[in-house]
């Protein structure tokens, strides 16, 4: 059975539950109320508004399996800042900037100066996000992190991920200095932490023509360009998208007091986010445009998660497995797992935002927490939280024998979860 067949029913269920307000109208309204929504994967980590679930009677949490994106970072390269900066400086010399354009240039100068030589690095806020998440995890599940508990932490070999891991584990140690934390970042673990399919084991398709067509149909920078340049003729319209990327990123840096949101209208932010979100779905979601294959790049990661959970259940050596990587890893992982119906497969571009929204899936420091509980009878159940909000799977929830309702929170038998995921992995082209 193909992964797409797994998702056909799920996709229909999500679409039918959309109600009278379309996903597009809902998204536009969210952006109008809070422009940060439009930042997508550049958004700062949202402070969770949900408490951890109450432990079911007779059950005790004993193990946490986790995967996190690094915290807020600067943009990846100097060119990300200097391309739009050089345009503004050149047009300023020519006297072609409006008053608003000159103001924009001065704002961007502050950002460029702060970012100098820090490209792709973790920001101060990014480290704090990880510390805060760690402390909440400790406070929510103190039984897991009791005296002498062993914690295994792994990071990709990218420095912002290593520093995210360090911030997280240092915060845990601050909560309990008796924890035995084994932290490492090595190429040895990259086969599952951040696997790259250079041999094309997982089939892929070049979607640039499609995404270019979506961008052309939806992104209209004319008003924006005219507000910045007296005569925008001849200036690359990529300037519009580049400033959007900076706009969404700066909130997580040391110069978050600088803002560019006022330069964009709600419709412009919506269109930019709409196109970005679609591109992420093609590359990391269960997109039929890529033959529903791309989530399988996380096959090794999901197999490792299952195996390490089984080991924790069996020998109890590690109380937690903490993993720190990237947005692409996490987004395709939760798709492969079909967390919150994210494994849905939709053909219509306008329906992508009904099942997939990167601002909710992969903000900076985004994370998946899988908390395992056990009772004296040896039953093992698990609770899922994506960005510290309860997450679901399309399988039956756990219900103790002889009861009508076990809890308002959703718990699943680990045996059922593992069986469901192994059914999906059976279709993977990535072999053991």
């Amino acid at each position: 059975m193909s992964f797409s067949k797994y998702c056909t029913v799920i996709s229909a269920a999500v679409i039918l539950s959309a109600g009278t307000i379309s996903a597009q109208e809902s998204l536009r309204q969210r952006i109008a109320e809070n422009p940060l929504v439009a930042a997508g994967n550049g958004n700062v980590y949202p402070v969770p508004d949900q408490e951890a679930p109450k432990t079911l009677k007779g059950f005790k949490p004993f193990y946490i399996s986790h995967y996190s994106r690094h915290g807020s970072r600067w943009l990846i390269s100097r060119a990300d800042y200097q391309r739009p900066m050089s345009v503004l400086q050149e047009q300023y010399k020519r006297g072609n900037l409006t008053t608003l354009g000159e103001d924009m240039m001065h704002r961007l100068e502050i950002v460029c100066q702060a970012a100098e030589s820090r490209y792709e690095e973790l920001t101060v806020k990014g480290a704090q996000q990880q510390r805060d998440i760690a402390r909440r995890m400790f406070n929510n599940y103190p039984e897991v992190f009791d005296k002498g508990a062993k914690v295994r932490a792994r990071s990709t070999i990218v420095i912002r991920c290593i520093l995210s891991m360090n911030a997280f584990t240092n915060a845990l140690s601050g909560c309990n200095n008796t924890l035995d934390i084994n932290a490492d970042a090595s190429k040895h673990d990259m086969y599952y932490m951040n696997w790259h399919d250079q041999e094309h084991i997982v089939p892929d398709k070049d979607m640039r023509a499609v995404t270019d067509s979506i961008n052309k149909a939806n992104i209209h920078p004319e008003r924006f360009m005219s507000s910045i340049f007296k005569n925008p003729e001849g200036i690359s319209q990529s300037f519009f998208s580049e400033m959007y990327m900076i706009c969404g990123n700066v909130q997580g840096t040391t110069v978050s007091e600088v803002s560019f949101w006022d330069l964009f209208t709600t419709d412009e932010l919506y269109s930019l986010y709409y196109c970005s979100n679609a591109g992420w779905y093609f590359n990391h979601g269960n997109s039929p445009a890529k033959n529903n294959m791309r989530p399988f790049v996380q096959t090794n990661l999901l197999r490792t998660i299952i195996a390490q959970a089984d080991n924790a259940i069996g020998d109890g050596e590690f109380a937690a497995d903490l993993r720190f990587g990237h947005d692409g890893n996490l987004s395709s992982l939760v798709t492969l797992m079909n967390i919150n119906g994210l494994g849905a497969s939709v053909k219509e571009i306008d329906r992508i935002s009904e099942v997939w929204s990167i601002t909710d899936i992969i903000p900076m420091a985004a994370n998946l927490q899988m908390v395992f509980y056990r009772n004296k009878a040896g039953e093992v159940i698990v609770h899922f939280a994506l960005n510290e909000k309860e997450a679901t799977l399309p399988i039956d929830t756990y219900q103790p024998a002889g009861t009508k309702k076990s809890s308002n929170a959703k718990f699943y038998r680990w045996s059922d979860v593992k069986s469901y995921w192994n059914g999906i992995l059976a279709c993977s082209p990535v072999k053991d």
Side-chain angles (χ1 to χ4, degrees):
M1 178 162 50
S2 70
F3 184 42
S4 61
K5 288 183 179 179
Y6 257 88
C7 299
T8 301
V9 175
I10 300 163
S11 175
V14 173
I15 291 170
L16 288 172
S17 66
T20 56
I21 300 177
S22 72
Q24 289 77 26
E25 291 170 345
S26 176
L27 178 59
R28 193 187 302 271
Q29 184 176 339
R30 286 181 66 191
I31 292 172
E33 294 171 355
N34 179 14
L36 295 184
V37 171
N41 65 315
N43 206 354
V44 294
Y45 188 74
V47 177
D49 56 6
Q50 289 185 10
E51 295 182 356
K54 293 182 180 180
T55 303
L56 291 180
K57 185 177 180 179
F59 282 89
K60 179 181 177 181
F62 70 96
Y63 173 68
I64 295 175
S65 182
H66 152 281
Y67 194 98
S68 174
R69 182 192 184 190
H70 55 75
S72 287
R73 58 160 171 75
W74 297 91
L75 293 179
I76 296 298
S77 71
R78 187 173 189 271
D80 291 331
Y81 295 96
Q82 288 302 318
R83 280 194 302 265
M85 187 74 251
S86 62
V87 170
L88 289 169
Q89 290 172 332
E90 176 63 26
Q91 296 306 312
Y92 174 74
K93 292 177 183 177
R94 297 183 180 185
N96 193 32
L97 292 185
T98 64
T99 300
L100 181 61
E102 290 188 21
D103 179 55
M104 176 190 194
M105 181 180 71
H106 295 317
R107 293 187 228 177
L108 188 54
E109 286 172 345
I110 296 171
V111 174
C112 289
Q113 183 176 2
E116 183 66 35
S117 300
R118 291 196 174 277
Y119 314 115
E120 76 176 295
E121 293 179 1
L122 189 73
T123 69
V124 172
K125 287 188 176 182
Q128 187 61 49
Q129 289 159 5
Q130 295 291 352
R131 286 191 288 268
D132 290 343
I133 296 167
R135 290 172 185 139
R136 286 193 295 269
M137 181 185 286
F138 181 91
N139 292 331
N140 288 336
Y141 308 105
E143 304 95 329
V144 174
F145 301 102
D146 59 7
K147 186 175 181 180
K150 295 182 69 173
V151 175
R152 178 166 47 196
R154 295 292 182 265
S155 168
T156 68
I157 55 177
V158 176
I159 188 64
R160 61 182 176 274
C161 300
I162 296 171
L163 292 177
S164 291
M165 176 177 68
N166 287 348
F168 196 104
T169 54
N170 287 343
L172 282 181
S173 293
C175 296
N176 179 358
N177 61 13
T178 72
L179 291 175
D180 180 1
I181 300 177
N182 178 329
D184 195 17
S186 170
K187 289 183 179 179
H188 176 272
D189 296 312
M190 292 293 277
Y191 78 94
Y192 72 90
M193 287 294 297
N194 191 18
W195 182 62
H196 289 281
D197 176 24
Q198 296 177 343
E199 291 81 24
H200 305 294
I201 297 168
V202 178
D204 196 8
K205 287 185 178 181
D206 188 336
M207 297 294 293
R208 282 175 293 184
V210 176
T211 55
D212 287 349
S213 176
I214 295 171
N215 292 343
K216 184 176 180 180
N218 291 280
I219 295 179
H220 305 290
E222 294 80 13
R223 186 217 59 84
F224 176 90
M225 299 290 280
S226 294
S227 73
I228 304 302
F229 307 104
K230 294 176 182 177
N231 178 12
E233 186 176 348
I235 299 173
S236 173
Q237 294 188 347
S238 64
F239 177 85
F240 181 53
S241 298
E242 290 164 352
M243 284 308 305
Y244 162 68
M245 183 169 63
I246 291 174
C247 177
N249 176 264
V250 73
Q251 60 184 298
T253 72
T254 54
V255 286
S256 56
E257 72 278 4
V258 178
S259 175
F260 300 96
W261 294 112
D262 60 299
L263 304 176
F264 298 88
T265 67
T266 296
D267 284 345
E268 288 166 347
L269 290 174
Y270 167 78
S271 65
L272 287 159
Y273 177 79
Y274 173 92
C275 294
S276 175
N277 190 57
W280 273 89
Y281 181 71
F282 291 142
N283 288 322
H284 300 280
N286 189 29
S287 172
K290 290 201 171 184
N291 295 329
N292 306 97
M293 295 300 294
R294 294 314 295 164
F296 285 119
V297 296
Q298 301 310 325
T299 294
N300 293 334
L301 177 55
L302 183 50
R303 285 175 178 158
T304 300
I305 287 171
I306 293 171
Q308 290 179 341
D310 280 342
N311 288 340
I313 293 167
D315 61 32
E317 180 181 3
F318 289 102
D321 276 298
L322 310 173
R323 310 171 187 91
F324 298 85
H326 307 269
D327 45 9
N329 304 129
L330 183 58
S331 57
S332 47
L333 172 65
V334 294
T335 297
L336 186 62
M337 291 174 159
N338 200 18
I339 295 288
N340 288 343
L342 292 171
S345 177
V346 292
K347 292 182 179 180
E348 301 87 347
I349 294 169
D350 281 345
R351 284 185 161 178
I352 290 174
S353 54
E354 295 182 24
V355 300
W356 178 273
S357 179
I358 54 172
T359 201
D360 300 317
I361 304 169
I362 45 171
M364 298 292 183
N367 60 95
L368 176 67
Q369 297 181 21
M370 297 159 274
V371 184
F372 289 71
Y373 299 74
R374 181 162 44 200
N375 63 12
K376 291 182 179 179
E379 291 181 294
V380 176
I381 59 175
V382 59
H383 180 267
F384 298 94
L386 179 60
N387 300 327
E388 298 177 84
K389 293 185 177 182
E390 183 175 67
T392 62
L393 282 179
I395 59 177
D396 291 337
T397 55
Y398 172 77
Q399 183 173 310
T403 64
K404 292 183 178 180
K405 188 175 183 181
S406 59
S407 169
N408 289 328
K410 291 180 172 57
F411 297 86
Y412 302 89
R413 289 184 185 274
W414 172 238
S415 58
D416 292 341
V417 172
K418 186 167 66 169
S419 176
Y420 177 70
W421 286 345
N422 281 334
I424 294 174
L425 289 171
C427 310
S428 175
V430 184
K431 304 306 178 186
D432 291 326

